Amino acid sequence: MTLSSSPSPHPDRPLATLCLDRAWIDQAVQTIEADFNRSADTHLLRAPLAGGVHLYFKDESTHPTGSLKHRLARSLFLYALCNGWIGPRTPIIEASSGSTAVSEAYFARLLGLRFIAVMPRSTSAEKVAQIAFHGGETHFVEASPDVYAESARLAAELSGHYMDQFTYAERATDWRGNNNIAQSIYSQMAQEPHPEPSWIVAGAGTGGTTATLGRFIRYNRAQTRLCLADPEASVFHRHVADRAVTASADPGSIIEGIGRARCEPSFNPELIDRAIAVPDAASLAGARVASRRLGRSCGGSTGTNLFACAQVIEAMAARGQTGSVVTLLCDSGERYASTLSNPDWLAASGLDTAPYEAALEAFFDTGRFSL
């Protein structure tokens, strides 16, 4: 009896080409894993906070590309490689306001691939320069909502792959472990006075980080609660309160990296125990106070997190509770030297950070928070 061979999944491509592509994918995965092995885990910093609640910052600015998005970019590349979406000549296109693009440019260069970031023209010059430093290109749109369609169009035009962080962020990371950010936090907390955090506070840009944290908490049957720190203009906190709300018509937030005008596919509101809307001025104040108190330069999204942490900790203190709260130092304030960290730019923006800064300074000194 003669056995017929199974049909090729790529009947239009020679077997030799397929084997070469598989060999390239094998090498690409190994290259990314080797980079991971060279990168030590990020530090968990305990903040100098008075009172009975301990506050920690997971310092994601120490990744090779300087932000929390390094983890996401690595996961997205591995996900796309193992799905067979990327080959040795595939241009990579991404819709990003900055930090994800910086990290994806880094990994694209590791693999010898062309990378193009589609981003709003308002993105900080420092982030644009970092994308170029890592060999990436930038393609600007005038309005933030245009990045999605333009990325898809550009990918089709160039026969490239649209990475689409907003869709794939929540599924590209192994939320059960594999040294993801949640597992790292719990491992580093193991010897602390309150090893299981009462709360973890995080922002959402794609929703991938909150999805990983929330799922890990449930998978390990932890009692930790997850708080979303969200810019006031963002839709995410509104969607948590009312699932029917999926878009925001408010003018966009100036805090890059978190908050969106539309509810992204990767955002899962069921994982959020509390959502706190944070004014832009409060986020900027939080970044300035966190920088002074931690001795680290902090970006705007870290300030958003700190302002939400202060409210969470105040609620705990008011109930006489002790425990620990963990949040993220997402990236360095050096990325915003021409905007958020520039006193002249801040004065021109009309945002008054003084009352928020005073309240947060008192929060560190007393462990209590009020405006």
Side-chain angles (χ1 to χ4, degrees):
M1 181 175 63
T2 302
L3 298 177
S4 61
S5 60
S6 300
S8 168
H10 303 278
D12 57 330
R13 299 172 63 194
L15 181 60
T17 300
L18 292 173
C19 291
L20 286 173
D21 285 357
R22 277 294 299 273
W24 181 86
I25 289 172
D26 291 348
Q27 183 60 50
V29 171
Q30 182 178 358
T31 298
I32 292 176
E33 291 296 278
D35 177 81
F36 173 72
N37 286 338
R38 291 193 301 271
S39 303
D41 199 2
T42 60
H43 296 296
L44 187 67
L45 311 176
R46 181 171 168 183
L49 177 67
V53 179
H54 298 170
L55 175 60
Y56 300 82
F57 286 79
K58 180 75 166 152
D59 187 2
E60 296 291 282
S61 72
T62 58
H63 281 296
T65 55
S67 83
L68 168 68
K69 299 299 186 180
H70 192 85
R71 294 180 189 269
L72 173 60
R74 180 172 60 220
S75 294
L76 288 169
F77 266 89
L78 289 173
Y79 190 71
L81 285 165
C82 295
N83 277 320
W85 297 341
I86 296 177
R89 290 167 296 279
T90 307
I92 307 299
I93 293 89
E94 181 63 288
S96 170
S97 63
S99 287
T100 301
V102 172
S103 298
E104 288 187 7
Y106 171 90
F107 285 106
R109 185 167 68 174
L110 275 184
L111 304 183
L113 300 176
R114 182 184 182 188
F115 176 77
I116 304 171
V118 179
M119 56 175 54
R121 195 171 295 279
S122 59
T123 302
S124 71
E126 290 79 9
K127 284 185 177 178
V128 173
Q130 287 185 324
I131 292 167
F133 174 79
H134 290 298
E137 305 167 38
T138 49
H139 181 91
F140 292 108
V141 297
E142 296 303 324
S144 294
D146 296 339
V147 295
Y148 312 100
E150 183 62 10
S151 295
R153 186 200 66 78
L154 198 59
E157 177 184 303
L158 299 175
S159 297
H161 174 62
Y162 172 25
M163 195 69 85
D164 195 1
Q165 59 167 324
F166 299 105
T167 295
Y168 295 107
E170 58 87 15
R171 67 195 74 172
T173 299
D174 184 354
W175 47 269
R176 287 160 293 196
N178 195 24
N179 198 37
N180 64 35
I181 190 169
Q183 184 179 54
S184 177
I185 287 171
Y186 279 84
S187 295
Q188 291 176 321
M189 286 292 294
Q191 302 303 318
E192 297 302 308
H194 306 285
E196 183 174 282
S198 301
W199 287 87
I200 295 178
V201 177
T206 62
T209 298
T210 52
T212 298
L213 291 166
R215 289 168 176 166
F216 186 89
I217 288 167
R218 285 158 176 76
Y219 181 68
N220 288 276
R221 302 176 299 283
Q223 298 305 301
T224 306
R225 297 293 180 260
L226 181 61
C227 175
L228 171 69
D230 203 32
E232 268 188 341
S234 172
V235 71
F236 291 135
H237 65 272
R238 306 169 199 220
H239 184 64
V240 170
D242 181 354
R243 301 295 193 269
V245 179
T246 59
S248 170
D250 285 358
S253 170
I254 62 172
I255 308 304
E256 295 181 22
I258 59 171
R260 304 295 298 176
R262 75 170 197 179
C263 200
E264 302 296 350
S266 281
F267 181 70
N268 185 345
E270 307 300 334
L271 302 174
I272 306 300
D273 296 295
R274 180 180 179 184
I276 295 176
V278 181
D280 283 353
S283 292
L284 298 185
R288 294 159 72 91
V289 173
S291 298
R292 292 193 289 266
R293 294 288 179 153
L294 296 174
R296 300 279 202 283
S297 178
C298 299
S301 56
T302 303
T304 310
N305 289 340
L306 173 58
F307 190 79
C309 283
Q311 295 186 54
V312 166
I313 291 172
E314 170 58 26
M316 292 176 64
R319 292 192 294 266
Q321 296 176 340
T322 58
S324 59
V325 173
V326 178
T327 192
L328 308 180
L329 197 168
C330 305
D331 61 5
S332 170
E334 294 171 1
R335 291 192 165 186
Y336 313 95
S338 64
T339 55
L340 307 186
S341 302
N342 183 336
D344 294 333
W345 181 93
L346 183 61
S349 73
L351 295 173
D352 182 11
T353 66
Y356 297 109
E357 287 191 54
L360 288 170
E361 292 286 5
F363 166 66
F364 274 100
D365 291 337
T366 66
R368 302 302 300 264
F369 179 73
S370 65
L371 280 172

